[in-house]
Amino acid sequence: MRLVDDWRAVLRRAWSIRLALLAALLSGLEVLLPFLDGAIAIPHGVFAALAALTSAAAFYARLVAQKGLSDADQ
C-alpha cells in the first residue's frame, strides 16, 4: 500500500474523511444509547440509520473530485 503524496492535506480537507469520522461517531452513539437508560428519548436505530446514510455520503464524496485536493486543480 502506498499513500498519496499529499495525504496530510487529504486528512485535513477531504469530505470523505470528515463524513467517515461522523459515521464512526454516530455508530458509537448507537452503542452508548442503551447505557443512557431512557435519559434521552431517541428510538433505537436512529443513530445507526444516520451512520449508514453518512457512510453512503462518504462513499460518494470519495468518488467526487474535491476542489484543492485533486491533481486537476493544480
Side-chain angles (χ1 to χ4, degrees):
M1 178 173 68
R2 188 173 150 256
L3 297 176
V4 294
D5 293 335
D6 59 345
W7 64 270
R8 287 184 180 98
V10 172
L11 278 178
R12 283 192 310 269
R13 298 188 304 209
W15 276 103
S16 58
I17 299 294
R18 294 173 184 174
L19 291 168
L21 290 172
L22 179 60
L25 175 69
L26 291 168
S27 295
L29 289 174
E30 181 68 27
V31 171
L32 292 176
L33 193 59
F35 295 109
L36 297 176
D37 198 25
I40 300 175
I42 298 174
H44 293 289
V46 170
F47 288 123
L50 290 173
L53 290 172
T54 307
S55 294
F59 177 78
Y60 175 75
R62 181 64 183 106
L63 297 177
V64 175
Q66 297 176 42
K67 187 172 182 125
L69 290 179
S70 68
D71 291 336
D73 292 336
Q74 297 175 357

